[in-house]
Amino acid sequence: MSSPSVAFFFLLLASAAAKLDIGKSLSSYSEFSDFVNMLNETGVADEINSKQTVTLLVVSNGNLGSLYGRPMETKKMVLSVHVVLDYYDEAKLNKSHSKTAKILTTLYQQTGKARNQVGFLNMMNTGKSAVVFASSSPNSHLEAQLVKQVTSKPYDLSVLQISNLIDIASVSSSPTNAPAYAPPPRKVLAPAPAPTPSLDEEDNRKSPAPSKTKATDASPPDADAPGPGSDEHKSDVSVPCGDYLASTILLIFTCAWLLFTMV
């Protein structure tokens, strides 16, 4: 085999050996199964496997918090922030004592979508307490502490367990995704039906309403009562005239009798 062929063969072996497989590396750690599943469903696992050097900050299934209910795009962003584009194992971190935070570049910074320092992490190791990681974005206060080294493949892959998800202010302040279904519209109540009238009320409705006119005014005139032009009406008028004539005759008779007596 010629020298160039030998060199190319070893180059292929080196390339194959350098290729990462994050799923395979964490397949025996059941406590991170949900984290690995999210890496696969969001496509972050493929991006990790395409890199040459990566440090993955993993969180156990019980500490994933509200990430279960987040939209796919939000999950991908959060997981990408947990992928550091450099190699840091526990031994290297323990040696990196500093009074100031060290800035780490994450996979999310490489997407070009990062704003307000979301694509960077602050790593602090004062030598007096646990190593902590926090988002560089403003108002992101919650820190994640280093728990242990899970696995490593110097100097290509390092997997470190941290206590909780790294807090990102823009994500923690946003509501979780809305339900996929819309709530049913409120039922409009129909007006209550009118009460059914009783039999007595029904009879009263069918009977005619009483007249407001007095009975004496509405009743027809008596058949025996004389009309305006009857003889009885005339007699009522003639009676005063008869009395007047009798009085006159009586007066004349009286005067004549007096004159006869005086003579």
Side-chain angles (χ1 to χ4, degrees), residues 124-181:
M124 174 68 73
N125 181 17
T126 61
K128 298 180 181 180
S129 59
V131 179
V132 295
F133 299 87
S135 174
S136 298
S137 62
N139 302 319
S140 300
H141 303 298
L142 182 63
E143 298 176 339
Q145 295 185 358
L146 174 66
V147 177
K148 64 181 180 181
Q149 178 85 49
V150 178
T151 186
S152 64
K153 185 180 179 182
Y155 290 91
D156 301 322
L157 174 67
S158 175
V159 179
L160 304 172
Q161 180 182 359
I162 56 178
S163 58
N164 49 267
L165 289 171
I166 295 171
D167 176 64
I168 303 172
S170 59
V171 174
S172 58
S173 61
S174 62
T176 56
N177 58 321
Y181 62 92

Side-chain angles (χ1 to χ4, degrees), residues 22 26 35 39 48 54-58 82-83 157-160:
I22 190 61
L26 293 177
F35 192 90
L39 291 177
I48 292 175
V54 165
T55 298
L56 178 63
L57 306 177
V58 297
H82 289 70
V83 181
L157 174 67
S158 175
V159 179
L160 304 172

Side-chain angles (χ1 to χ4, degrees), residues 30-43:
S30 59
E31 64 268 36
F32 307 122
S33 59
D34 288 352
F35 192 90
V36 174
N37 289 337
M38 290 183 185
L39 291 177
N40 289 325
E41 68 181 4
T42 58

Side-chain angles (χ1 to χ4, degrees), residues 8 18 20 32 39 41 46 50 52 56 96 146 148 152 155 166 170 175 195 207 214 222 231-232 238-239 249 260:
F8 181 72
L20 302 179
F32 307 122
L39 291 177
E41 68 181 4
D46 294 334
S50 66
Q52 292 183 348
L56 178 63
S96 57
L146 174 66
K148 64 181 180 181
S152 64
Y155 290 91
I166 295 171
S170 59
S207 61
K214 293 182 179 180
D222 192 354
D231 296 338
E232 188 175 347
S238 62
V239 168
I249 294 173
F260 176 78

